[in-house]
Amino acid sequence: METYSPKKVKVLPDYKLYITFENKEKRIFDMRPYLKDKYFAPLKDVSKFKTARINPITIEWDGEIDICPDELYHNSIPV
């Protein structure tokens, strides 16, 4: 199963991310189900969620929170 790293990210309303991957695919990833997890719970603060940015291989947020690129790609919806 192929996996691609994100190259651009835009924060959308309702805890969604608009992601462009290295293969040029654009997809939407919904973070809402992940916010129940203790690790991602700080992102319920919208100002913290809006700190989403690309690091060399995935997306990260302030507070050293990141998410696996496999998760982003395989659980997102093509646009």
Side-chain angles (χ1 to χ4, degrees):
M1 196 180 312
E2 290 287 328
T3 297
Y4 301 98
S5 292
K7 294 301 170 190
K8 292 182 185 175
V9 63
K10 180 180 177 186
V11 175
L12 300 175
D14 297 323
Y15 300 100
K16 292 182 181 165
L17 300 170
Y18 182 83
I19 305 167
T20 303
F21 288 88
E22 63 186 323
N23 66 347
K24 310 282 191 251
E25 226 180 309
K26 295 173 184 353
R27 301 173 74 93
I28 293 181
F29 183 79
D30 186 354
M31 279 294 296
R32 288 178 297 179
Y34 297 82
L35 299 177
K36 296 173 188 168
D37 184 285
K38 187 172 143 183
Y39 178 75
F40 293 110
L43 299 178
K44 289 178 187 175
D45 177 345
V46 175
S47 63
K48 184 163 240 160
F49 184 73
K50 288 181 177 181
T51 68
R53 63 188 171 274
I54 300 295
N55 74 17
I57 60 167
T58 193
I59 294 173
E60 67 181 7
W61 292 266
D62 287 353
E64 299 183 19
I65 300 169
D66 64 7
I67 188 166
C68 177
D70 291 346
E71 192 76 22
L72 292 170
Y73 187 78
H74 296 295
N75 292 312
S76 58
I77 300 168
V79 186

